[in-house]
Amino acid sequence: MKQRHIFGDVLALLGYALLRRRAGRQVTASERSERPRLEAYYVGVLVAFAAFLVAWTAWQNQREHESAARPPVRVDVSSFLWCWAFSYPQAPERRTVSGSCRGDDLPTLVVPTGHPVQLRLTSRDVIHSLWVPHLRYKMDAFPHHVNTFTLTLDREGRWMGKCAEFCGQRHRTMHFWIKAVSPEEYDKWLQGQQGAAV
Amino acid sequence: MTVAPPTEKSDIGGRPVPPSGWLGWVTSTDHKRIGLLTAGTSFVLFVGMGTLALTMRAQLAQPEQELVSSHLYNQLFTIHGSGMIYLVFTPFALGMGVYLVPLQIGAPGIAMARLTLLGYWFYALGAAVMLAGFATPLRAHADGWFSYPPMADSVHSPGTGTDLWIAGVFLATTGTIIMGWTVLRKRTYGMTMLRLPVFSWSMIVSCLMVIGAFPALLAALGLLAVGRADPSMFDQNVWNIGYQHLFWFYGHPVVYVMFFPYLAAVAEVLAVFSGRRFFGYKGTVLSLLVFAALSMSVWGHHMFATGQATNDYYSLTSIALLVPAGVEYFAMVGTILGGRLRLAPPMLFALAFIPQFLIGGLTGIMVGTPVIDYHVTDSYFVVAHLHYVLFAGSAFGLFGAVYFWFPKVTGVMLGHRLGRLRFWLLVLGTNVTFLPMFALGYLGMPRRISSYASFEGFGWLNLLSSIGAAFLAAAMTVFAVNVLWTLRKRTLGSAEKAPDDPWGGHTLEWATSSPPPRLNFTPDHPVPPVTSFAPLLDLRQKQKEETAADRSRP
Ligand SMILES: [Cu+2]
């Protein structure tokens, strides 16, 4: 990352100054108070670098929001004090999975691998935030407002999700599981066959 | 040009002879006393807020601990964060400004001393009101320093603690706005704008931000107060998200108010202990102004994860901040590169500030970039980032400033040996405490959790961080001992007396006696001619040239 370079450069200059410019080494202090030409070039470089970063970020933002070609799998996520509920509007019978988030009673969000999954996120009370550290993504859940985002999981597995927005007493245990299964298994599970997936 | 201080009451803003005793202090219209009072009050609060943080670090040292209940823990982080931001770093910065700016511009007092004093009173009252929350039946407010509704409404945060928190923050912020206003309304006595020392400039810019942005916090708090009376208000999303917009419109500039004065103190220290003029003065002044203007356009980058902020716009303005920041670093590093460095305690703090604040700044660019921010926001990564900015950065500038101006303010020197010991303890403590938090956040530890399960694997990093906090406690103890011991010796008359200018300073405050007299400059200690932003350096160079010329004459 560029950040490391900048940090390294400043550290090197600092080290140089400490080694070479200590009063003990009989150096004389410069009487110059500015070097306008050098400063102008430097500002030019900074501006160019900033412009590059802006473009790069805008491009990344764009990519983040690109919608997938295939129709996504939809999951409605509802957060509340202090747990989660996941419902699957595309299931033949409306299916809702929830829990108490006490001890091991964590709800599991089941998604198919390789498919874009659209989460529609809201809250029944205060602001929460859905965070899956493994996916490096989070999105706030507001009451009286729906936030939407799409994710695609490429491999099967189970990861922990958390609430990232402070919400009081049991905020710290407001966890859930996100489980990615093969599309076939997902379909089976959606049809309501017990034993599959969860 | 030399200006003899005027002696008439109307000119000096207050009584010429300071009354004695504590009553004399709290009613003084001497800007130096008000400044010291403000800085002293915020320092006592700093120690208190630090103690809350140590309790939290103890609680988090091991997984699944129950040293404090989760309700108490929530109060601890709320009051720690609110206290440090509203009651410590912001007022301390303004207190320094109230003390130093009139001296640096060669004025005998502050323009509206009574108003400044009123500002202090508001601030002190606000602090008392906020802390009084601990004495209420449901204890203190427990919803974090930004207290979003609806979590902060009367349904989800019942109890008077929250009301007191709102009132306290409101009062303290009103106090800082009043103080900021009076620092701006100073008298310049013919000193041109481009001859103002960097520190005075930073105060001007900070006060502009205080006046421009702090009223937004008052509005947000007003909104919260109304919503607590009628919680159905927060059934509409517009008020919930509107609060966040108002809050962060204040919330980003306040970071710079808590940063510029300390950065500028570091700049003054770097220049003095490098034995040269501050390098790139004009660029720095310009960058401070650009910074201040941009600071009011980036608030949305605190809200990327809300899904209700225009990401492209806010990431653009946030990235633009990199330009003025780069200019300031250029000036600081340029100053020491051409200098002749003396490593006295103030300089040690100023030098450590450079790389440590840089970590805070660079990770700030990361969290200002939406793709990264989505992962790390509201996690310990952000906790680490803001502590690198405020503690590894601003607090180091603050302590550098204290070591630097202590002889001027008290008239005695602060022990060097303890100063060095304290410095190394603080550097070690700071980095051991806050570096592991970056990793913790990245690995998935959310902020504001009172405990975590063992299987999550956060244990050893948290333990490391808590060990670092113990070093911080030791460093602060050494500092307190050093200061109290020195002041005690001063009372006994056995402390090392400080000369007028112990460090070879550049700015006008070093031309007067230590401590400065009531009206700052006297006929014995007149204001020297102001020829640039480093008038005392000019004077010394002129004298050197004259003696050289004398010698060369046969
Ligand atoms: Cu929550």
Side-chain angles (χ1 to χ4, degrees):
Chain A
M1 283 300 277
K2 288 150 219 92
Q3 276 93 356
R4 276 196 207 124
H5 283 288
I6 299 173
F7 187 66
D9 292 346
V10 170
L11 220 53
L13 291 172
L14 208 61
Y16 167 82
L18 277 175
L19 286 175
R20 294 279 156 162
R21 310 289 312 191
R22 289 176 87 136
R25 294 183 70 101
Q26 308 296 323
V27 284
T28 42
S30 160
E31 292 195 1
R32 260 188 123 125
S33 65
E34 55 185 358
R35 296 181 66 169
R37 178 67 71 79
L38 181 65
E39 282 175 53
Y41 282 135
Y42 175 72
V43 170
V45 171
L46 280 180
V47 169
F49 179 58
F52 161 75
L53 264 184
V54 166
W56 182 77
T57 311
W59 177 66
Q60 290 277 316
N61 288 352
Q62 211 64 43
R63 239 181 32 166
E64 194 91 12
H65 292 119
E66 249 163 44
S67 52
R70 275 172 295 180
V73 169
R74 233 184 85 185
V75 185
D76 292 332
V77 181
S78 174
S79 54
F80 54 92
L81 293 167
W82 287 275
C83 210
W84 307 86
F86 305 106
S87 45
Y88 300 79
Q90 288 151 330
E93 289 164 65
R94 193 175 169 82
R95 242 192 119 99
T96 301
V97 179
S98 190
S100 67
C101 289
R102 284 181 192 275
D104 291 333
D105 183 24
L106 301 182
T108 303
L109 165 63
V110 182
V111 296
T113 54
H115 266 274
V117 179
Q118 189 191 56
L119 299 184
R120 295 166 54 82
L121 196 55
T122 187
S123 164
R124 293 180 205 161
D125 33 57
V126 303
I127 304 168
H128 302 272
S129 187
L130 179 141
W131 183 26
V132 184
H134 169 78
L135 296 175
R136 305 195 190 295
Y137 200 82
K138 75 169 67 67
M139 180 63 87
D140 290 352
F142 276 74
H144 317 286
H145 177 84
V146 178
N147 268 336
T148 309
F149 74 98
T150 307
L151 55 89
T152 309
L153 286 171
D154 294 323
R155 63 186 178 88
E156 294 178 29
R158 193 175 77 144
W159 301 277
M160 189 173 256
K162 298 175 175 179
C163 174
E165 184 72 57
F166 177 73
C167 58
Q169 270 309 301
R170 281 169 48 213
H171 163 62
R172 78 170 186 91
T173 50
M174 190 170 155
H175 298 168
F176 62 93
W177 292 108
I178 177 165
K179 185 172 179 178
V181 297
S182 67
E184 300 77 48
E185 201 178 338
Y186 177 76
D187 280 336
K188 250 194 267 167
W189 177 81
L190 209 59
Q191 306 306 318
Q193 274 158 355
Q194 288 303 314
V198 185
Chain B
M1 134 230 83
T2 311
V3 178
T7 42
E8 281 186 33
K9 190 180 165 175
S10 57
D11 273 328
I12 53 155
R15 283 166 296 188
V17 182
S20 53
W22 69 270
L23 198 66
W25 272 88
V26 295
T27 59
S28 175
T29 46
D30 179 354
H31 73 94
K32 295 184 289 299
R33 284 194 162 188
I34 306 172
L36 267 183
L37 209 53
T38 310
T41 308
S42 42
F43 201 81
V44 171
L45 288 164
F46 183 76
V47 173
M49 299 306 144
T51 315
L52 302 186
L54 290 176
T55 317
M56 286 191 279
R57 277 322 319 168
Q59 161 71 14
L60 291 178
Q62 293 286 306
E64 305 283 8
Q65 275 201 127
E66 270 284 347
L67 283 182
V68 295
S69 69
S70 75
H71 184 54
L72 179 56
Y73 186 90
N74 298 343
Q75 297 168 51
L76 292 179
F77 74 69
T78 299
I79 303 299
H80 167 77
S82 315
M84 284 294 190
I85 289 167
Y86 304 121
L87 307 179
V88 176
F89 280 98
T90 315
F92 192 97
L94 285 164
M96 281 204 311
V98 168
Y99 189 101
L100 288 169
V101 170
L103 282 164
Q104 287 202 327
I105 60 171
I110 201 161
M112 293 177 284
R114 284 188 190 82
L115 211 53
T116 318
L117 187 65
L118 182 71
Y120 168 76
W121 274 99
F122 268 106
Y123 154 59
L125 188 65
V129 168
M130 188 201 288
L131 294 178
F134 280 112
T136 61
L138 293 174
R139 304 288 171 229
H141 182 46
D143 186 27
W145 77 282
F146 45 70
S147 292
Y148 291 156
M151 185 60 207
D153 70 14
S154 46
V155 178
H156 301 100
S157 297
T160 1
T162 302
D163 302 317
L164 291 173
W165 180 87
I166 294 175
V169 176
F170 196 96
L171 285 169
T173 306
T174 309
T176 50
I177 295 175
I178 295 174
M179 263 195 228
W181 176 248
T182 62
V183 173
L184 261 192
R185 292 288 310 271
K186 59 190 178 30
R187 289 169 288 176
T188 52
Y189 275 77
M191 184 177 238
T192 65
M193 288 313 258
L194 282 177
R195 286 179 186 170
L196 290 174
V198 179
F199 180 79
S200 289
W201 258 115
S202 79
M203 283 315 303
I204 293 181
V205 175
S206 300
C207 294
L208 283 174
M209 284 189 291
V210 167
I211 290 162
F214 281 29
L217 174 64
L218 299 185
L221 291 169
L223 183 67
L224 207 53
V226 173
R228 279 180 73 77
D230 174 19
S232 68
M233 188 168 120
F234 295 122
D235 288 346
Q236 281 163 296
N237 181 54
V238 60
W239 296 115
N240 291 326
I241 196 72
Y243 175 89
Q244 295 198 16
H245 279 291
L246 276 174
F247 185 88
W248 290 112
F249 185 80
Y250 149 86
H252 202 80
V254 71
V255 177
Y256 295 148
V257 174
M258 292 187 288
F259 167 53
F260 285 175
Y262 304 112
L263 171 97
V266 165
E268 303 262 0
V269 170
L270 288 176
V272 168
F273 288 88
S274 296
R276 64 174 299 195
R277 214 168 289 271
F278 187 65
F279 179 75
Y281 167 82
K282 277 185 206 150
T284 304
V285 168
L286 195 64
S287 77
L288 287 176
L289 288 167
V290 172
F291 239 131
L294 280 176
S295 78
M296 294 184 207
S297 65
V298 298
W299 75 90
H301 75 202
H302 294 266
M303 299 164 59
F304 286 145
T306 61
Q308 301 174 63
T310 4
N311 290 358
D312 280 337
Y313 167 73
Y314 290 114
S315 51
L316 184 146
T317 48
S318 310
I319 290 168
L321 288 173
L322 175 157
V323 177
V327 170
E328 277 155 32
Y329 260 82
F330 186 80
M332 288 197 292
V333 173
T335 302
I336 56 171
L337 277 182
R340 181 175 175 276
L341 311 188
R342 290 174 295 153
L343 299 182
M347 185 61 163
L348 292 177
F349 283 93
L351 287 173
F353 173 94
I354 296 177
Q356 291 188 156
F357 179 76
L358 192 59
I359 296 181
L362 291 174
T363 51
I365 299 180
M366 291 170 74
V367 293
T369 310
V371 275
I372 305 176
D373 184 68
Y374 281 128
H375 178 43
V376 296
T377 188
D378 282 321
S379 80
Y380 257 77
F381 192 93
V382 166
V383 178
H385 156 69
L386 71 93
H387 282 91
Y388 261 93
V389 171
L390 285 180
F391 196 84
S394 295
F396 271 69
L398 188 157
F399 292 126
V402 169
Y403 282 94
F404 185 53
W405 278 297
F406 190 88
K408 175 54 63 186
V409 172
T410 60
V412 293
M413 302 297 286
L414 196 54
H416 272 212
R417 196 155 347 126
L418 281 182
R420 269 175 228 282
L421 171 68
R422 192 294 176 107
F423 170 76
W424 289 110
L425 282 174
L426 200 70
V427 168
L428 189 71
T430 302
N431 292 290
V432 174
T433 306
F434 300 119
L435 264 186
M437 292 183 183
F438 283 117
L440 280 170
Y442 212 78
L443 293 174
M445 181 163 160
R447 71 195 284 197
R448 300 177 170 171
I449 53 169
S450 54
S451 191
Y452 50 93
S454 338
F455 71 86
E456 294 187 270
F458 302 146
W460 73 273
L461 282 168
N462 270 305
L463 182 61
L464 193 63
S465 174
S466 296
I467 292 171
F471 279 96
L472 290 180
M476 290 305 290
T477 312
V478 172
F479 178 69
V481 167
N482 198 2
V483 168
L484 293 177
W485 180 248
T486 307
L487 290 180
R488 174 86 192 124
K489 278 202 299 193
R490 184 178 78 148
T491 326
L492 299 174
S494 62
E496 185 193 340
K497 281 252 177 328
D500 292 350
D501 183 7
W503 316 115
H506 293 177
T507 40
L508 294 182
E509 74 269 28
W510 303 106
T512 186
S513 57
S514 304
R518 170 69 178 91
L519 300 180
N520 295 346
F521 298 91
T522 58
D524 292 347
H525 285 90
V527 179
V530 179
T531 41
S532 75
F533 63 89
L536 298 199
L537 192 64
D538 293 340
L539 213 60
R540 276 198 297 276
Q541 276 172 358
K542 215 171 119 199
Q543 280 164 356
K544 218 160 107 192
E545 277 160 29
E546 274 165 10
T547 42
D550 281 346
R551 270 203 214 114
S552 60
R553 226 174 283 146

